[in-house]
Amino acid sequence: MKILLKTISVLTFALIATSCGEKKETDAYGNPVEEKKEATTETTVDPLLAKGQELFEGKGTCTACHKPDVKVVGPSIKDIAKIYKEKGASIASFINGEGETLVDASQYEIMKANFVITKAMTPEERKALEVYMMSLE
Ligand code: HEC
């Protein structure tokens, strides 16, 4: 019995000792120092960007007619983004059927057919497509 008590008191002591050891770091004034978050050098990537690319290549089927650098059926993404940037226009609005054609009015009918897809998207999805396209300029 005596040994058991002794063991318990030793254990208790050990416990107190270790919990004291876990003292938080303090600054020169004794104030607790918050753990510093690791400084990240990575630039934060807009979460909409990845989503936009996914929609562009997937559900939107935009890749069928738009490639980043070359004109296929439709103008290249970079050509579109450049003009939209210059004019301060919004792709998200265009693909929602608002706004006018700024790039190639003669081919507008072909593009217009896709509004069925883009108008059924959420505003966030249209914005994601815009973020993706504008990132390629
Ligand atoms: C069937 C081919 C085709 C598909 C698919 C297509 N486009 Fe187009 N797109 C065109 C053509 C052709 C034009 C040029 C006509 C024009 O500028 O309006 C164009 C033009 C555009 C423009 C510039 C509009 C302007 O102001 O002149 C944007 C922005 C655009 N497309 C976005 C998209 C997005 C986003 C998708 C996918 C949801 C998509 N397109 C799918 C053919 C297509």
Side-chain angles (χ1 to χ4, degrees):
M1 188 62 187
K2 233 186 190 169
I3 292 171
L4 186 67
L5 275 177
K6 215 174 173 184
T7 321
I8 289 171
S9 60
V10 166
L11 279 176
T12 317
F13 179 75
L15 216 78
I16 292 167
T18 47
S19 60
C20 281
E22 273 180 76
K23 231 196 266 167
K24 284 218 169 118
E25 258 188 80
T26 52
D27 64 14
Y29 307 101
N31 297 316
V33 177
E34 289 284 313
E35 233 180 88
K36 281 203 191 87
K37 287 212 179 100
E38 262 180 59
T40 44
T41 45
E42 283 173 55
T43 44
T44 44
V45 177
D46 192 328
L48 283 181
L49 189 73
K51 193 175 175 189
Q53 182 167 12
E54 196 184 303
L55 289 167
F56 198 88
E57 292 165 2
K59 192 164 89 171
T61 70
C62 321
T63 356
C65 298
H66 297 289
K67 304 288 176 216
D69 292 297
V70 289
K71 183 180 154 75
V72 199
V73 181
S76 74
I77 303 174
K78 286 185 182 171
D79 283 345
I80 296 173
K82 190 163 175 274
I83 291 169
Y84 270 75
K85 219 163 261 179
E86 277 166 13
K87 308 223 166 163
S90 158
I91 290 176
S93 303
F94 174 77
I95 58 176
N96 196 32
E98 305 153 7
E100 47 184 330
T101 154
L102 303 173
V103 181
D104 186 354
S106 68
Q107 303 288 304
Y108 178 56
E109 290 303 317
I110 302 172
M111 180 54 213
K112 213 171 134 189
N114 298 291
F115 290 172
V116 182
I117 301 172
T118 50
K119 276 184 168 176
M121 289 179 174
T122 65
E124 200 203 13
E125 287 175 323
R126 285 189 292 269
K127 183 74 192 166
L129 282 169
E130 173 178 307
V131 169
Y132 168 64
M133 290 181 80
M134 295 302 271
S135 75
L136 288 182
E137 199 234 345

